[in-house]
Amino acid sequence: MKKTSTRLADGRELLYYDSRDDTVRDAPDLRPLDPVATTAQIRHDPLLGDAVAVASHRQARIYHPPADECPLCPSRDGRRSEIPAADYDVAVFENRFPSLVGDAGRCEVVCFTSDHDASFADLTEDRAALVLEAWTDRTAELAELPQVKQVFCFENRGAEIGVTLGHPHGQIYGYPFVTPRTELMLRSARAHLAKTGRNLFDDVLAHERSEGTRVVLEGGHWVAFVPYAAHWPYEVHLYPKQRVRDLRALGDEARTEFPQIYLELLRRFDRIFGPDEPPTPYISAWHQAPFGELGDLGEAGLGGFALHLELFTIRRTAGKLKFLAGSESGMNVFINDVPPETAATRLREVASK
């Protein structure tokens, strides 16, 4: 992998990740851009104890542009975009409309391919491996920023999810705090460790593998299963068999196997509802341990956090979505219309031949 760092016309950082070491990235950004002006701020809720990012400037972000005006496509035929090069493998740049900025963190956009009409599931295993390297590199670099306490790599896919740009891409958030979801997992892991002397993540994975009814896919180094208390109609958690805290610690064998496992999962998701249905909207989210002071507390303090990927769709059946209505949005109590065992069975049924 070759990494090239450059700057866009407004000063934001742009990074190219290339498979070939002899690739040259020297195309300048010729757009007449003004410096990025943001109003992002973090406000803390005194009742719930969580944080809300208030970012009114995002109201002006690009919204469903036609394909020939996509800002994530390469710059070609006289049309200039966020990527000055005429082609690219994987590109990462600072978001022009960030939710987190400066002392409040950092937001980046990850373009998986220059092909506007592709999806992550269409990538080759080599390209998916390059994306994994980009995620890992960004995690390592953002971990060095003093204001960043946790890195979140994710992909939103589909207009139903709220995606405003159709080009295959994801995002990376560097949060200035430990996210509420992670704090809940850490709390449960600490309680389990105090009660049993064992690691919660290890026990969950061992139980799922032993029971087997919800296991969707298993390789030499990864296991994918529908969790016992899945929140979403079709939800899969993907764990490396060797527990690590974040992408930086992932071993070479797990890295090598990841593309084939992950691509198979994504392709199965697109088959869940039948051959004549549109692509399945989904969210794919990497859960990584926080770092900094909290991350230095070790097994007892951090609860032995385990890196894992969560993949889920809001589509509950053909033509119908799962909406977060009163119970979910008001009380954070999820109601799942699809039994996890049924979801796991379906995801095994649609395996590649």
Side-chain angles (χ1 to χ4, degrees), residues 27-40:
D29 182 8
L30 301 177
R31 297 173 298 170
L33 298 180
D34 294 326
V36 174
T38 68
T39 58

Side-chain angles (χ1 to χ4, degrees), residues 15-93:
L15 301 122
Y16 294 100
Y17 293 88
D18 289 290
S19 299
R20 292 175 56 95
D21 291 336
D22 59 353
T23 303
V24 176
R25 298 296 185 186
D26 57 4
D29 182 8
L30 301 177
R31 297 173 298 170
L33 298 180
D34 294 326
V36 174
T38 68
T39 58
Q41 57 178 288
I42 301 295
R43 297 189 180 186
H44 294 275
D45 187 318
L47 296 180
L48 298 179
D50 59 9
V52 177
V54 180
S56 61
H57 62 278
R58 286 175 53 78
Q59 292 277 36
R61 67 187 184 275
I62 299 171
Y63 187 81
H64 293 298
D68 60 358
E69 296 179 14
C70 175
L72 306 185
C73 286
S75 294
R76 296 174 181 163
D77 303 324
R79 185 183 60 80
R80 297 166 183 166
S81 72
E82 293 277 61
I83 318 293
D87 198 7
Y88 63 85
D89 289 351
V90 175
V92 179
F93 59 87

Side-chain angles (χ1 to χ4, degrees), residues 152-166:
F152 178 45
C153 307
F154 64 100
E155 180 193 3
N156 298 327
R157 194 265 193 119
E160 300 93 329
I161 296 292
V163 173
T164 58
L165 297 175

Side-chain angles (χ1 to χ4, degrees), residues 244-276:
V244 295
R245 284 161 48 166
D246 58 40
L247 288 168
R248 297 174 296 177
L250 201 59
D252 291 340
E253 292 179 327
R255 289 184 182 279
T256 299
E257 187 181 63
F258 172 77
Q260 65 189 70
I261 296 291
Y262 185 51
L263 290 172
E264 171 63 13
L265 283 176
L266 293 181
R267 290 162 186 167
R268 291 189 192 188
F269 259 59
D270 274 343
R271 302 184 192 119
I272 291 173
F273 304 104
D276 298 325

Side-chain angles (χ1 to χ4, degrees), residues 321-339:
L321 301 180
K322 165 64 179 176
F323 293 103
L324 300 190
S327 184
E328 293 90 353
S329 297
M331 288 288 112
N332 199 28
V333 177
F334 276 68
I335 300 169
N336 189 353
D337 301 292
V338 180

